[in-house]
């Protein structure tokens, strides 16, 4: 008797290491924003020290906005199809709606949340901790959920209706790494401990915008 295995589809994410030049330019935009910070904490779910808005129109981000982001989106749509309602109508385009940087210190966290828009992404810029070391701490040792401490994780419903998690281990090697996902995908950031460093990450939301006509410019 021949048996056939069939996997039910689910939506995943697209990830990859950013070019060094792109990461360097993002750092420059972050440092510029720190000089005259525009606080974004009231718009976000994070229980963290600081979140400030970044200039998504900065010439330093031209390659990132015009090439990197579209390539991630193209890869995601080829693999999983367009999320929710995306049937692009005439006069509509994708637009980087918001871009910000998070500064997370020990004991701080981002609770489970989703984002506005169609696609969202995260880029880890600075990771002061090692997950391999964090899970050895007394607060986590012998836990049956030791893959959570200090990590970034997605939560999703599997085909049996159960909540499943996928965690990214926060290690130095993850710096400059970008993950793109549908904005409605639930995710969270767990706290880290025994380290006075600062975890710095970039987040952004992409929505659908209506192109302005010449009379509107």
């Amino acid at each position: 008797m021949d048996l056939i295995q069939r996997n039910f589809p689910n939506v995943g994410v697209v990830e990859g290491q950013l070019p060094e030049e792109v990461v360097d330019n993002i750092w420059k935009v972050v440092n510029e924003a720190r000089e005259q910070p525009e606080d974004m904490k009231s718009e976000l779910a994070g229980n963290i020290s600081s979140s400030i808005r970044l200039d998504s129109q900065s010439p330093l981000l031209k390659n990132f906005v015009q090439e990197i982001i579209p390539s991630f989106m193209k890869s995601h749509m080829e693999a999983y199809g367009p999320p929710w309602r995306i049937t692009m109508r005439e006069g509509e385009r994708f637009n980087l709606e918001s871009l910000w940087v998070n500064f997370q210190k020990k004991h701080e966290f981002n609770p489970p949340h989703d984002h506005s828009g169609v696609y969202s992404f995260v880029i880890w810029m600075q990771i002061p901790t090692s997950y391999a070391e964090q899970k050895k701490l007394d607060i986590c040792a012998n836990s049956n959920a030791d893959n959570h401490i200090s990590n970034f994780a997605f939560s999703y419903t599997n085909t049996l209706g159960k909540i499943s998690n996928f965690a990214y281990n926060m290690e130095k090697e993850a710096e400059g790494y970008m993950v793109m996902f549908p904005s409605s995908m639930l995710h969270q950031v767990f706290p880290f401990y025994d380290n006075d460093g600062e975890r710095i990450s970039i987040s952004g939301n992409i929505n659908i915008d209506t192109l302005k006509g010449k009379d509107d410019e």
Side-chain angles (χ1 to χ4, degrees):
M1 179 172 60
D2 294 329
L3 300 179
I4 297 173
Q5 295 180 338
R6 188 179 302 279
N7 295 320
F8 292 157
N10 208 339
V11 178
V13 305
V14 171
E15 58 190 68
Q17 189 73 32
L18 295 181
E20 184 175 346
E21 180 183 0
V22 170
V23 174
D24 288 344
N25 284 340
I26 293 174
W27 270 123
K28 291 175 184 176
V29 174
V30 169
N31 291 330
E32 288 176 356
R34 277 175 148 168
E35 295 178 2
Q36 293 183 311
E38 181 182 349
D39 184 40
M40 279 195 67
K41 286 187 66 175
S42 63
E43 302 177 39
L44 305 172
N47 288 250
I48 63 176
S49 292
S50 175
S51 296
I52 60 176
R53 194 181 307 277
L54 298 179
D55 179 13
S56 62
Q57 303 301 315
S58 170
L60 290 166
L61 298 180
K62 181 178 180 180
N63 178 258
F64 176 68
V65 172
Q66 295 185 1
E67 296 185 22
I68 301 295
I69 288 178
S71 68
F72 271 72
M73 291 171 56
K74 182 175 183 291
S75 177
H76 196 281
M77 284 192 279
E78 286 177 347
Y80 308 110
W84 55 282
R85 80 135 181 103
I86 300 183
T87 302
M88 299 292 284
R89 296 190 287 256
E90 184 178 356
E92 289 186 332
R93 64 176 178 182
F94 288 109
N95 178 58
L96 181 56
E97 174 187 36
S98 54
L99 185 69
W100 67 96
V101 56
N102 298 309
F103 302 96
Q104 179 188 2
K105 298 183 183 297
K106 65 181 178 182
H107 305 157
E108 300 177 346
F109 63 96
N110 256 320
H113 65 287
D114 59 9
H115 287 191
S116 63
V118 179
Y119 287 106
S120 296
F121 57 85
V122 59
I123 307 167
W124 295 291
M125 301 293 290
Q126 176 175 293
I127 301 174
T129 55
S130 163
Y131 161 68
E133 296 301 319
Q134 288 279 304
K135 69 178 182 178
K136 296 177 184 177
L137 298 176
D138 290 342
I139 193 173
C140 187
N142 301 318
S143 169
N144 65 5
D146 67 357
N147 68 322
H148 288 67
I149 189 170
S150 82
N151 287 340
F152 175 100
F154 289 109
S155 298
Y156 60 94
T157 305
N158 65 24
T159 56
L160 300 179
K162 302 295 185 181
I163 301 298
S164 299
N165 295 287
F166 182 89
Y168 285 86
N169 296 340
M170 292 293 97
E171 299 282 355
K172 192 75 174 176
E173 292 74 17
E175 291 181 348
Y177 204 73
M178 174 169 159
V179 178
M180 178 173 282
F181 52 95
S183 298
S184 58
M185 186 175 288
L186 200 66
H187 57 284
Q188 60 187 306
V189 181
F190 291 92
F192 59 86
Y193 304 88
D194 285 10
N195 187 297
D196 293 326
E198 198 170 47
R199 179 181 295 162
I200 301 176
S201 61
I202 306 295
S203 292
N205 293 331
I206 299 158
N207 66 0
I208 295 176
D209 199 7
T210 301
L211 286 168
K212 292 183 179 180
K214 291 184 178 180
D215 295 338
D216 299 323
E217 296 178 348

